[in-house]
Amino acid sequence: LLILLQNIINTDDLNDKECLQETLSDVQKLASKYGNVKHLTVDVSKCGIYVEYDGSFSVAEVAVESLDGKLLGGERVSAEIVRNIVKLENVLTDDDLEDDECMEETLSDIKDLANKLGNVSDVKVNVKSKIVYIKLRAFEIEAMPPFN
């Protein structure tokens, strides 16, 4: 189960590895209050952190209810449960991690396969844990006509 915390990292975190590690440590402690945290993944484009919980859906719900709108470091945190995410483990090799060209090719292959499930809107890699997250665009459901 994934939740996304936004407004929780800033440009200082992104420009300074020590600062980012301190923030990740703080988020780990904070998120652990609601359940067992499996992984944290930084999303630079959203200035956010994905928190992956090991547990039931209610764990993510309680975390989001508690963290959404909370004031941290002078910023109001936005928290939401992430849906339409496919998590792939054990698909990256050491070659992928060591060679940008190999990584690019592997991610391209993964996107091609994932597009069979639906339109891929984003792909994120947690290099440390060798996990690939694929976000699929939400499907729009046409309104059904009323039953007579």
Side-chain angles (χ1 to χ4, degrees):
L1 297 164
L2 282 177
I3 67 169
L4 173 61
L5 302 176
Q6 290 181 283
N7 295 331
I8 200 154
I9 58 175
N10 57 39
T11 53
D12 290 342
D13 292 321
L14 298 175
N15 294 327
D16 182 343
K17 285 185 180 184
E18 276 185 33
C19 204
L20 181 59
Q21 286 306 319
E22 185 178 327
T23 297
L24 287 172
S25 176
D26 292 345
V27 169
Q28 175 81 32
K29 287 177 195 165
L30 180 65
S32 293
K33 291 179 182 178
Y34 309 102
N36 184 37
V37 175
K38 288 175 66 176
H39 297 288
L40 297 177
T41 303
V42 175
D43 186 334
V44 175
S45 67
K46 295 184 179 189
C47 285
I49 298 175
Y50 288 99
V51 179
E52 182 181 357
Y53 282 103
D54 182 22
S56 69
F57 187 76
S58 63
V59 169
E61 282 182 313
V62 170
V64 166
E65 286 173 14
S66 300
L67 296 172
D68 191 44
K70 189 175 185 98
L71 197 61
L72 294 173
E75 295 292 329
R76 210 160 284 287
V77 174
S78 168
E80 65 179 293
I81 295 174
V82 179
R83 303 181 198 288
N84 300 330
I85 295 283
V86 177
K87 175 184 167 188
L88 301 175
E89 296 181 275
N90 302 316
V91 294
L92 299 177
T93 66
D94 289 336
D95 288 342
D96 293 325
L97 300 175
E98 294 168 5
D99 183 341
D100 289 341
E101 205 171 287
C102 281
M103 177 67 86
E104 224 174 277
E105 188 176 324
T106 298
L107 291 178
S108 177
D109 291 344
I110 289 170
K111 276 185 182 180
D112 288 345
L113 287 171
N115 274 317
K116 293 179 181 181
L117 299 172
N119 280 339
V120 173
S121 66
D122 202 7
V123 176
K124 299 288 182 203
V125 176
N126 184 325
V127 175
K128 184 177 177 185
S129 60
K130 297 182 180 180
I131 294 175
V132 177
Y133 295 97
I134 301 166
K135 183 166 187 174
L136 302 172
R137 286 189 179 84
F139 296 100
E140 291 184 23
I141 301 172
E142 293 181 27
M144 290 181 64
F147 292 105
N148 293 331

